[in-house]
Amino acid sequence: MKTPEEIFEILKNKFGDAVVEIDTETPVDKIITVDAKKVHEIGKFLRDDPEMKFDALMSLSGVDDANGEKVTNEEDGTFEYKGGTLSVYYHLHSIKLKHKVTLKVSVPREEPEVESVESVWKTANWHEREAYDMFGIKFLHHPNLERILMPYDWPGGYPLRKDYKNPEYYHGMKIHF
Amino acid sequence: MGFLDKEFDDGNIVVAKAEDLLNWARLSSLWQLSFGLACCAIEMMATSASHYDFDRFGVIPRPSPRQADIIIISGTVTLKMALRIKRLYEQMPDPKYIISMGSCANSGGPYWKHGYHVLKGVDRVIPVDVYVPGCPPRPEALLEGLLKLQDKIRKETLRKKTA
Ligand code: SF4
């Protein structure tokens, strides 16, 4: 059993710059930020290393950090974010060693590309599709990156982004109240 | 002349208007498309179960729209589902009836403002006969909805399809 700080040290020594920082100020889980293009390698190490054995991906969630520049349209009061980041959080658990860790990657909003961890944990398959569906985060090398909740032909972008605007109609059905 | 001025000794003969007979048959055997959408469907299942016993009104779940007379829209109609509901409805043979059960199917319910994925009322895609309010409606409310629908069917005529 290891604490997140110990895990961070081990990862830092092994992966160098790909492991960015650990946030210990958070109230519950301590969060290790890693490189979006290396997360699958780090995940594979965390799964296979005898001291880590993170055999379960409990959750994978997308987040819109909404930390870009907020541009408001004066005419209709809508707004959108320019710049800033989208994030993905990975909650890992080792059933064998009974320890937990949280990973995070942040990617630019205009080009949100994260390596898929589907090859490491099969659980990630649908979770990543959901994050793609709701936030538009592209998971590279995912075997089937399709929308999972919204209709396949949804015209309206990614609904859980903070600056999301619903389309007026879908297949001739009025959406707004 | 006709039947009405004759006296029948045989007790097995009943004289009725064709309309009444048809309506009575229709309203007493409303076979329901076995179909549930969200939390309201749980309450609909409770209505079908032994305690409330939907069966005593002739409501029997059928697994195919081709055999169904009534579709109870029990729950949240997402935009994705709305297309399927429309198709199911179109596959049902006439005469066919619709009960919209719960706030979601009536108007979008809790999703009326921020539900980016919810159709704000199933009557935007198919014609509803009876609306049952509630979130979810209790089984008694659904039963009352069914009785209202039966009243409606009882008033139908051959010349005009729906009352
Ligand atoms: S009306 Fe209420 S109980 Fe019924 S489906 Fe909607 S949220 Fe669920």
Side-chain angles (χ1 to χ4, degrees), chain A:
Chain A
M1 191 156 159
K2 294 205 176 307
T3 63
E5 284 87 350
E6 288 166 346
I7 292 170
F8 175 72
E9 282 309 318
I10 293 170
L11 288 180
K12 190 82 194 160
N13 290 334
K14 182 143 173 62
F15 291 96
D17 287 344
V19 181
V20 184
E21 58 174 6
I22 180 164
D23 186 355
T24 51
E25 304 292 302
T26 50
V28 189
D29 294 331
K30 302 191 168 62
I31 298 171
I32 299 174
T33 307
V34 301
D35 184 346
K37 298 284 160 61
K38 291 277 165 42
V39 63
H40 60 305
E41 292 171 21
I42 295 169
K44 195 160 186 329
F45 170 75
L46 287 173
R47 184 192 68 182
D48 293 339
D49 189 77
E51 287 200 303
M52 300 293 177
K53 283 204 163 83
F54 282 103
D55 42 16
L57 174 65
M58 291 193 295
S59 160
L60 182 156
S61 29
V63 172
D64 183 356
D65 298 315
N67 51 4
E69 185 198 346
K70 189 170 177 176
V71 184
T72 310
N73 182 342
E74 298 299 339
E75 277 169 27
D76 53 5
T78 58
F79 59 89
E80 59 182 314
Y81 287 100
K82 291 244 184 301
T85 54
L86 301 171
S87 297
V88 182
Y89 289 78
Y90 306 80
H91 291 260
L92 305 179
H93 181 222
S94 169
I95 295 170
K96 298 211 178 67
L97 302 179
K98 296 185 173 35
H99 54 194
K100 289 185 194 169
V101 72
T102 306
L103 301 183
K104 169 191 175 185
V105 304
S106 286
V107 282
R109 192 186 190 85
E110 270 70 37
E111 201 187 331
E113 289 184 348
V114 181
E115 274 296 334
S116 169
V117 294
E118 195 270 347
S119 57
V120 186
W121 298 283
K122 290 291 167 198
T123 324
N125 190 323
W126 283 16
H127 283 73
E128 285 179 348
R129 281 176 66 187
E130 188 187 9
Y132 166 69
D133 194 355
M134 293 289 129
F135 296 95
I137 298 166
K138 302 213 166 45
F139 291 90
L140 306 174
H141 304 115
H142 188 287
N144 178 29
L145 195 63
E146 288 247 22
R147 286 186 182 271
I148 189 170
L149 299 170
M150 302 303 286
Y152 295 132
D153 58 351
W154 183 243
Y158 306 107
L160 289 195
R161 288 199 184 184
K162 297 286 181 200
D163 55 0
Y164 175 71
K165 286 185 239 16
N166 229 3
E168 281 285 311
Y169 288 92
Y170 172 69
H171 280 273
M173 295 179 287
K174 188 160 170 277
I175 298 176
H176 294 278
F177 193 70

Side-chain angles (χ1 to χ4, degrees), chain B residues 37-41 74-76 101-105 108-111 134-137:
Chain B
L37 287 180
C39 4
C40 274
S74 52
T76 318
M101 176 184 185
S103 311
C104 280
Y111 310 99
C135 178

Side-chain angles (χ1 to χ4, degrees), chain B residues 32-34 60-68 88:
Chain B
Q32 169 205 359
L33 183 57
S34 173
I60 304 171
R62 302 303 297 179
S64 158
R66 313 266 183 216
Q67 302 169 353
L88 285 173

